[in-house]
Amino acid sequence: MPFSPELIVYGMVFIGVFVLVEGVYLTVFGKSISLNNRVNRRLEMLDKGKRRDEVLEQLRKEMKQHGENRGIPLYSMLADKAQKAAIAFTPQQLIMMMGAVTVFAFVGLSVGTQTGLPTRIAISTLMGIGGVYTWVSMKAGKRIAMIEEQLPDAIELMVRSLKVGHPFSSAIQIVAREVDDPLATEFGVIADESAYGRDLGEALKDMAERLDMQDLRFLAVAVAIQQQSGGNLAEILAGLSKVIRARFRLFRRVKAITAEAKWSGKFLSAFPVGALIVINLLDPNYFDEVKLHAWFIPGCIAVGGFLVTNLFVMRVLTDIKV
């Protein structure tokens, strides 16, 4: 059983899917759409000459379009993550991207492998849908993690602004100018909505529900209570900042404690596959007699299922809510 280079081709095609999607995304919307770019995307759009209302409308459309299109077939499983990631692609464009990368994967598999047509169609479809879904999931996870890390500093900046006499709307605008993306653009949208007459508490609550972040819900509730009953908002937000930082430290501690179990699960699932590749490289004829047995293919499928199940079980066991 000689080692087949098709496994390498599968991996290269799957990596090519990520490169293709990311490349198209940055080409269409520019470098400012990248999460690791320090330029505030909203301010960059304003600097290019767009009116404030046009920028607000575009950003609101990008942030809400995915949640409003959950009813599209095949798209419902992607909508929540795309909304958290604020993917600038429309739902229709994302579906077209799935189709495009499916064709790209099919061409790559046709050129680099000798597998049958049904197998190539199934694998390329899986790569197209799964690749875009994984890309969006990674974008959403990275964006939410960055917002969670930025939020305590942003709240402390608002506290300092309130203590020197600025109104809360001005404190929101200062955060939108001074902090980095992605939180700066989110607060910039709130500042613009407030300037056009929307209630700040309602705008904060909408952002918290859209991003599904508990810390933002705390902030929205604190602002809503202060608006209704009064009180020292700077003192309330200062206490909230301490609570968020404490939760963040606890989350990091839980993440460090569960890291060993997570990597153990990944290693136990990857080791049999790695051992199989190494054995085929060292002794290509090692499985010649076994592969003719009637239970060889069902056994391989069962082992593969157990390895995938192991990943999911370890993920569930180490998914501790903070």
Side-chain angles (χ1 to χ4, degrees):
M1 183 179 177
F3 174 72
S4 175
E6 293 184 357
L7 295 175
I8 300 177
V9 175
Y10 292 150
M12 293 178 63
V13 171
F14 192 70
I15 294 173
V17 167
F18 281 94
V19 175
L20 175 65
V21 176
E22 184 72 15
V24 172
Y25 193 57
L26 295 179
T27 301
V28 173
F29 297 102
K31 186 180 178 182
S32 64
I33 199 72
S34 179
L35 290 178
N36 58 7
N37 188 47
R38 299 184 66 85
V39 178
N40 185 323
R41 183 164 182 249
R42 170 177 165 271
L43 294 181
E44 183 176 278
M45 294 169 68
L46 291 172
D47 288 340
K48 290 181 178 179
K50 288 189 175 182
R51 298 198 312 269
R52 189 177 182 182
D53 59 330
E54 293 177 342
V55 174
L56 174 62
E57 182 63 26
Q58 180 178 343
L59 292 176
R60 289 183 66 183
K61 180 181 178 181
E62 291 176 0
M63 292 174 178
K64 296 184 178 181
Q65 61 184 346
H66 303 286
E68 295 172 349
N69 290 275
R70 289 188 176 92
I72 299 179
L74 188 66
Y75 190 73
S76 57
M77 65 177 183
L78 192 64
D80 289 335
K81 293 186 179 297
Q83 180 172 282
K84 292 179 181 179
I87 298 296
F89 281 140
T90 65
Q92 293 77 13
Q93 288 173 334
L94 271 180
I95 294 175
M96 290 174 60
M97 182 61 67
M98 288 182 182
V101 296
T102 298
V103 173
F104 171 81
F106 180 79
V107 172
L109 294 177
S110 299
V111 173
T113 67
Q114 299 296 326
T115 53
L117 180 62
T119 303
R120 277 180 284 157
I121 293 176
I123 295 177
S124 59
T125 303
L126 182 63
M127 285 186 177
I129 298 175
V132 174
Y133 179 84
T134 305
W135 176 77
V136 173
S137 299
M138 292 171 61
K139 287 281 186 182
K142 183 179 179 180
R143 187 170 188 269
I144 294 300
M146 293 178 68
I147 291 177
E148 289 176 341
E149 190 169 350
Q150 290 177 307
L151 187 58
D153 293 332
I155 294 177
E156 289 182 355
L157 181 57
M158 287 189 284
V159 170
R160 291 194 294 270
S161 300
L162 293 172
K163 286 183 177 179
V164 299
H166 292 296
F168 185 62
S169 57
S170 297
I172 294 289
Q173 293 177 8
I174 291 173
V175 171
R177 289 196 308 267
E178 299 299 329
V179 302
D180 298 330
D181 264 352
L183 191 61
T185 297
E186 291 284 350
F187 272 82
V189 170
I190 293 177
D192 290 342
E193 289 178 337
S194 173
Y196 286 107
R198 190 178 188 186
D199 180 70
L200 276 173
E202 180 183 344
L204 285 169
K205 181 180 178 181
D206 181 66
M207 180 177 71
E209 294 301 325
R210 176 167 45 80
L211 297 178
D212 192 22
M213 285 183 56
Q214 191 64 35
D215 293 337
L216 283 175
R217 292 191 181 98
F218 292 155
L219 176 60
V221 170
V223 173
I225 292 175
Q226 192 276 337
Q227 288 178 336
Q228 295 176 5
S229 59
N232 190 338
L233 182 58
E235 183 178 345
I236 295 173
L237 294 183
L240 177 60
S241 176
K242 293 179 181 178
V243 171
I244 294 176
R245 287 192 183 279
R247 292 183 71 248
F248 195 73
R249 285 196 299 270
L250 180 58
F251 174 77
R252 287 292 181 88
R253 183 175 299 178
V254 170
K255 186 177 181 180
I257 293 173
T258 58
E260 181 181 357
K262 291 180 179 178
W263 281 103
S264 296
K266 294 177 181 178
F267 175 79
L268 292 175
S269 294
F271 180 78
V273 178
L276 177 63
I277 295 175
V278 172
I279 291 173
N280 277 275
L281 288 174
L282 297 178
D283 187 0
N285 301 316
Y286 187 82
F287 291 104
D288 283 354
E289 296 182 4
V290 179
K291 71 178 183 180
L292 299 177
H293 196 279
W295 288 95
F296 179 74
I297 299 299
C300 291
I301 296 175
V303 170
F306 282 126
L307 295 178
V308 174
T309 303
N310 174 63
L311 289 175
F312 283 103
V313 171
M314 294 303 297
R315 184 183 182 90
V316 171
L317 292 177
T318 57
D319 186 18
I320 300 175
K321 301 297 182 182
V322 179

